[in-house]
């Protein structure tokens, strides 16, 4: 079970799996099973390091989370959700969680290493991507989102910074720290988040329904996906502004410019994704779900079954 116990004066926080039926229970690992190397990234509550399995030599990204900091800032719930959401995932386009372990100070998540870093870096350096490249990455991102949703999770922070690239330049979606786990039976909000509609995610990619404090559903990830396609083709996100407040104004007013030079199929899919009403947004169940998106002319020629085995288009 997931425990957050306050024994004596020392708060302890554990993400260890003590349920033998849980996929993470077997082959338990400890801190000393790995050699730690370079820092890959740092967040407010965590550091990601390269970790090499001493037995196999295989390298991973090890996310080390500071327990005291998490407890002090009331982030225990989010760490648990991140672990639970990640452990549901099994897809080539999503960072896999192999093991979790802990020591006195920290929790550790052992993840797929995505050596080529963030899609964000390539968008900044190389955008506009040509249509073939944008189509390829959009297709991989869509398959990853499809899997996330099929496994009962809303990511809620889809953006180029959270789309990593592996050695062969295929994507790995990461950072489930803002995710929401949907009740499998009725697809309603879980009790943990029902009623609490605090802002999660990143201003530039936030959906209008979240700003209206409507219920947030899977379609919020589709909005963000539309922002990412726009960004790959233009170099900037559609609702860019100097402050979060001005970004929110633009999103509420659906105030973005569709560049003339975008191919017409791209204009069409972006416009269908950047739709204010989530029920009228492309990808929603009423509009045929993700299958309808795969059938859109923007994705003409995509080999959906095989894309993760193909050679990625060159990002010079
Ligand atoms: N930075 C954060 N997570 C990472 C990962 N899984 N691989 C590489 N760099 C990362």
């Amino acid at each position: 079970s997931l425990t957050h116990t306050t024994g004596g004066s020392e708060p302890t926080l554990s993400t260890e799996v003590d349920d033998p039926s849980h996929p993470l229970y077997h082959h338990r690992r400890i801190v000393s099973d790995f050699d730690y190397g370079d820092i890959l990234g740092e967040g407010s509550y965590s550091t990601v390091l390269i970790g090499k399995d001493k037995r196999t030599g295989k390298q991973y990204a090890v996310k080390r989370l500071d327990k005291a900091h998490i407890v002090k800032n009331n982030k225990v719930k989010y760490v648990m959700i991140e672990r639970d959401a990640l452990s549901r995932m099994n897809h080539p386009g999503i960072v896999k969680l192999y093991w979790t372990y802990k020591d006195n100070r920290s929790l550790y998540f052992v993840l797929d290493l995505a050596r080529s870093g963030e899609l964000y870096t390539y968008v900044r350096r190389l955008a506009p991507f040509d249509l073939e490249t944008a189509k390829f990455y959009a297709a991989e991102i869509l398959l990853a989102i499809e899997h996330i949703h099929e496994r009962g999770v809303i990511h809620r922070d889809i953006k180029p910074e959270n789309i990593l690239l592996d050695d062969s330049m295929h994507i790995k979606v990461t950072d489930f720290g803002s995710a929401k786990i949907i009740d499998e039976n009725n697809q309603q909000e879980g009790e943990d988040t029902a009623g609490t509609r605090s802002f999660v995610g990143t201003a530039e990619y936030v959906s209008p329904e979240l700003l209206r404090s409507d219920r947030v559903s899977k379609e919020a990830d589709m909005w963000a996906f539309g922002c990412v396609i726009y960004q790959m083709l233009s170099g900037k996100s559609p609702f860019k502004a100097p402050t979060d407040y001005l970004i929110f104004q633009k999103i509420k007013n659906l105030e973005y410019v569709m560049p003339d030079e975008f191919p017409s199929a791209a204009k069409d899919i972006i416009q269908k994704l950047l739709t204010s009403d989530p029920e009228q947004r492309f990808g929603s169940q009423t509009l045929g779900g993700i299958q309808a998106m795969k059938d859109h002319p923007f994705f003409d020629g995509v080999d959906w079954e095989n894309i993760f085995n193909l050679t990625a288009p060159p990002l010079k």
Side-chain angles (χ1 to χ4, degrees):
S1 68
L2 299 172
T3 50
H4 167 219
T5 53
T6 338
S9 59
E10 281 285 293
T12 61
L13 168 59
S14 173
T15 54
E16 299 256 300
V17 178
D18 49 26
D19 169 7
S21 72
H22 194 284
L24 292 175
Y25 179 81
H26 298 283
H27 314 289
R28 293 179 71 163
R29 293 307 188 93
I30 57 175
V31 177
S32 61
D33 287 339
F34 297 84
D35 285 322
Y36 301 90
D38 292 350
I39 292 177
L40 297 166
E42 283 180 282
S44 26
Y45 304 96
S46 64
T47 302
V48 181
L49 306 140
I50 291 195
K52 190 171 105 184
D53 187 335
K54 289 175 182 172
R55 282 216 307 259
T56 65
K58 186 176 170 184
Q59 291 189 324
Y60 297 89
V62 178
K63 184 168 184 172
R64 185 182 65 201
L65 300 106
D66 183 75
K67 287 196 282 189
H69 199 193
I70 290 162
V71 170
K72 194 167 70 198
N73 293 282
N74 294 315
K75 302 297 176 192
V76 172
K77 189 181 90 182
Y78 297 100
V79 173
M80 300 306 174
I81 291 171
E82 179 174 11
R83 196 213 70 161
D84 285 350
L86 272 171
S87 67
R88 289 176 177 222
M89 301 298 143
N90 181 23
H91 190 273
I94 302 168
V95 159
K96 184 176 159 65
L97 176 63
Y98 292 89
W99 304 281
T100 65
Y101 47 81
K102 60 178 174 167
D103 61 17
N104 288 336
R105 280 188 63 129
S106 306
L107 307 174
Y108 299 81
F109 293 176
V110 182
L111 304 162
D112 274 324
L113 175 60
R115 252 180 242 278
S116 301
E118 300 172 2
L119 179 63
Y120 179 79
T121 310
Y122 293 88
V123 172
R124 286 297 299 267
R125 214 189 282 156
L126 303 170
F129 289 2
D130 60 54
L131 181 61
E132 281 310 303
T133 305
K135 181 193 293 198
F136 175 86
Y137 284 108
E140 290 204 339
I141 295 163
L142 183 59
L143 287 172
I145 294 174
E146 179 180 45
H147 183 83
I148 292 167
H149 291 179
E150 281 171 358
R151 296 287 168 104
V153 173
I154 310 172
H155 186 283
R156 298 202 292 186
D157 202 13
I158 295 291
K159 58 176 176 178
E161 292 90 326
N162 288 338
I163 298 163
L164 304 180
L165 297 161
D166 67 14
D167 294 321
S168 55
M169 298 303 280
H170 289 273
I171 68 144
K172 297 266 183 211
V173 172
T174 192
D175 195 354
F176 286 70
S178 304
K180 182 154 103 171
I181 296 175
I182 302 166
D183 189 299
E184 288 290 86
N185 303 313
N186 57 16
Q187 303 278 294
Q188 295 292 308
E189 288 180 288
E191 53 83 24
D192 60 323
T193 44
T196 59
R197 292 176 172 122
S198 51
F199 175 72
V200 295
T202 304
E204 278 173 74
Y205 306 89
V206 131
S207 62
E209 62 270 26
L210 190 133
L211 297 177
R212 291 191 299 262
S213 9
D214 296 349
R215 250 193 60 210
V216 167
S217 54
K218 292 171 178 175
E219 287 75 29
D221 286 341
M222 291 303 158
W223 172 276
F225 177 54
C227 295
V228 173
I229 298 177
Y230 182 106
Q231 197 166 355
M232 288 193 288
L233 290 170
S234 75
K236 55 192 179 66
S237 65
F239 302 100
K240 204 162 177 52
T243 67
D244 284 357
Y245 176 80
L246 292 170
I247 290 169
F248 297 152
Q249 292 289 102
K250 285 187 165 183
I251 293 170
K252 285 182 192 170
N253 299 327
L254 206 60
E255 194 183 319
Y256 72 98
V257 176
M258 188 73 84
D260 287 338
E261 63 274 18
F262 278 10
S264 62
K267 285 181 183 166
D268 191 75
I269 198 170
I270 289 165
Q271 182 222 311
K272 288 181 160 113
L273 287 165
L274 299 184
T275 294
S276 211
D277 177 357
E279 293 194 15
Q280 299 305 318
R281 186 175 305 147
F282 212 20
S284 74
Q285 286 315 313
T286 39
L287 296 181
I290 288 185
Q291 187 56 48
M293 298 195 55
K294 291 182 180 173
D295 294 336
H296 187 277
F298 176 74
F299 289 117
D300 273 358
V302 169
D303 183 356
W304 293 103
E305 303 305 317
N306 203 33
I307 189 163
F308 282 95
N309 300 314
L310 300 178
T311 302
L315 278 173
K316 292 130 323 230

